[in-house]
């Protein structure tokens, strides 16, 4: 009978998950524009409108988080407050960090409009020296859909250093909200992002036995018309050429169906986000 490692044709403990993640991130940035602050500044308004009004992701994430009233939370890559805004009245305070000034500006407006006083926006990046920015240790650190780093292992160590109790990160599962069919219809190859399994396996190799839950979102992509469908697909296809736009317009004309007064792309698979959380180890973990 064959051994486990022979069936796999490798020893899974030898897989360098940090390198796998790093390679995929680099490849992704070569194929698409690097997702720097300029990119997120440009997307801030649309992203924020979608999260605030059309997604129940925040609700599902907070249910998994199960917050305690005394928590001081650090929200890394907070965006316009997808989690921070609905979480604010459930915890003591939130340091909401992001490198996009436009995201933080929407967050400030939302806090003012909702009279939220315990969220402190902070312009900073993953790559910054958080200690010198005066970011202290918080009870809980979250990074919701924002682990946009090349060195995943260093990021985990950093998250552990700034969390007293627990860390929560969420990451894409499979294709995530991107629709492969739409990307292919424009004539482009689909470049998958590294998904949550890299994080989970790296944590395992670091001796961190993380918990895993999934949010679930049956996707119903509805559009007012073909142009609306084109506009709402732009984020999947940076810098579309006129030729690609034409291909996509034709695709929507052929595939959208009328449903309850809107246009719908049928058979879009549901989206899941993986929420991975762990208790902070007493000492910095190291790869075995
Ligand atoms: C997909 S959004 C997620 C926002 C929010 N946490 C949520 O779950 O909706 C990713 C966020 O991470 C921020 N971000 C990306 N790379 C970053 C970096 N290197 N440092 C700080 N923030 C970053 C972006 O500006 C953006 O607001």
């Amino acid at each position: 009978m064959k051994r486990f490692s022979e069936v796999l044709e490798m020893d899974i403990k030898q897989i360098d998950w940090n390198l796998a993640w790093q390679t995929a991130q680099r490849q992704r940035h070569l194929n698409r524009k690097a997702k720097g602050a300029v990119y997120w500044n440009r997307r801030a308004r649309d992203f924020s409108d979608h999260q605030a009004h059309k997604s129940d992701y925040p609700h599902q994430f907070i249910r998994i988080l199960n917050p305690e009233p005394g928590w001081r939370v650090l929200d890394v890559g907070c965006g316009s407050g997808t989690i921070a805004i609905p979480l604010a009245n459930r915890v003591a305070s939130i340091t909401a960090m992001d490198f996009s000034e436009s995201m933080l500006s929407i967050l400030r407006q939302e806090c003012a409009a909702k009279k939220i006083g315990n969220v402190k926006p902070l312009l900073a990046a993953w790559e910054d020296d958080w200690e010198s920015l005066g970011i202290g240790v918080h009870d809980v650190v979250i990074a919701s859909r924002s682990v946009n780093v090349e060195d995943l292992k260093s990021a985990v160590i950093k998250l552990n250093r700034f969390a007293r109790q627990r860390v929560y990160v969420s990451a894409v599962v499979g294709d995530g909200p991107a629709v492969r069919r739409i990307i292919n219809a424009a004539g482009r190859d689909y470049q998958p992002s590294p998904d949550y399994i890299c994080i989970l396996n790296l944590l395992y190799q670091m001796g961190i036995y993380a918990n895993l839950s999934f949010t679930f979102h049956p996707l119903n992509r509805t559009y007012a018309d073909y142009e609306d469908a084109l506009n709402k697909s732009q984020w999947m296809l940076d810098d579309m050429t006129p030729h690609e736009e034409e291909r996509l317009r034709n695709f929507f004309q052929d595939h959208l169906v009328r449903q309850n007064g809107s246009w719908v792309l049928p058979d879009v698979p549901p989206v899941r986000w993986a929420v991975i959380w762990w208790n902070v180890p007493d000492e910095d973990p190291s790869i075995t």
Side-chain angles (χ1 to χ4, degrees):
M1 189 171 146
K2 277 188 170 178
R3 289 165 181 220
F4 178 56
S5 58
E6 286 169 342
V7 174
L8 288 178
E9 293 179 355
M10 65 171 72
D11 177 353
I12 51 172
K13 290 206 177 69
Q14 297 307 319
I15 297 175
D16 185 338
W17 289 101
N18 203 33
L19 183 64
W21 175 276
Q22 196 172 61
T23 309
Q25 286 283 67
R26 284 191 181 154
Q27 190 180 333
R28 188 161 150 245
H29 287 172
L30 277 181
N31 287 297
R32 308 180 70 201
K33 261 209 203 126
K35 284 195 166 187
V38 174
Y39 170 89
W40 285 107
N41 283 337
R42 195 159 25 94
R43 272 200 71 194
R45 177 48 67 192
D46 280 353
F47 183 85
S48 155
D49 285 349
H50 180 80
Q51 301 312 319
H53 307 295
K54 304 200 182 99
S55 164
D56 72 338
Y57 166 80
H59 173 75
Q60 294 192 37
F61 181 93
I62 290 172
R63 204 175 50 211
I64 295 165
L65 187 64
N66 196 15
E68 292 175 16
W71 278 358
R72 289 173 309 113
V73 176
L74 172 62
D75 181 357
V76 182
C78 61
S80 52
T82 310
I83 303 300
I85 296 280
L87 185 61
N89 66 359
R90 312 261 316 257
V91 296
S93 66
I94 302 173
T95 307
M97 176 210 285
D98 204 286
F99 73 170
S100 158
E101 181 48 51
S102 304
M103 288 285 193
L104 293 183
S105 147
I106 299 171
L107 172 64
R108 278 187 212 99
Q109 287 161 23
E110 286 292 303
C111 286
K114 296 191 160 85
K115 302 199 183 336
I116 294 172
N118 62 344
V119 173
K120 183 181 156 208
L122 180 74
L123 187 68
W126 271 101
E127 299 77 11
D128 289 341
D129 177 350
W130 295 358
E131 249 140 32
S132 72
L133 291 172
I135 301 172
V137 173
H138 291 62
D139 298 308
V140 168
V141 180
I142 67 177
S144 160
R145 309 188 290 190
S146 62
V147 188
N148 181 29
V149 295
E150 280 204 358
D151 186 346
L152 186 56
K153 187 185 172 199
S154 298
V156 168
I157 292 170
K158 197 166 186 173
L159 292 171
N160 282 341
R161 245 199 4 256
F162 285 83
R164 196 187 315 281
Q165 212 172 314
R166 216 175 275 164
V167 176
Y168 291 81
V169 303
S170 69
V172 73
V173 177
D175 290 355
V179 182
R180 206 176 269 243
R181 244 185 326 148
I182 292 181
I183 295 168
N184 292 154
R188 290 198 195 173
D189 276 345
Y190 178 74
Q191 293 294 331
S193 308
D195 89 344
Y196 80 99
I197 208 71
C198 285
I199 303 180
L200 199 64
N201 280 304
L202 177 71
L203 288 168
Y204 168 74
Q205 285 180 330
M206 293 172 80
I208 297 173
Y209 302 105
N211 302 278
L212 176 64
S213 298
F214 295 94
T215 67
F216 180 76
H217 316 275
L219 259 202
N220 197 5
R221 283 181 193 268
T222 57
Y223 309 107
D225 51 35
Y226 302 137
E227 285 310 304
D228 187 38
L230 199 62
N231 288 336
K232 285 183 176 157
S233 306
Q234 299 269 5
W235 69 271
M236 292 179 231
L237 294 145
D238 290 334
D239 301 328
M240 250 195 289
T241 64
H243 176 62
E244 288 173 331
E245 276 191 23
E246 196 47 38
R247 287 183 62 132
L248 209 48
R249 204 172 275 113
N250 292 338
F251 169 80
F252 285 130
Q253 279 170 6
D254 291 345
H255 291 88
L256 292 187
V257 295
R258 201 80 179 137
Q259 222 174 67
N260 303 328
S262 313
W263 292 98
V264 174
L265 184 64
D267 304 324
V268 175
V271 172
R272 289 179 176 80
W273 292 94
V275 182
I276 304 170
W277 62 272
W278 63 92
N279 293 317
V280 175
D282 292 337
E283 292 167 21
D284 274 354
S286 58
I287 278 196
T288 50

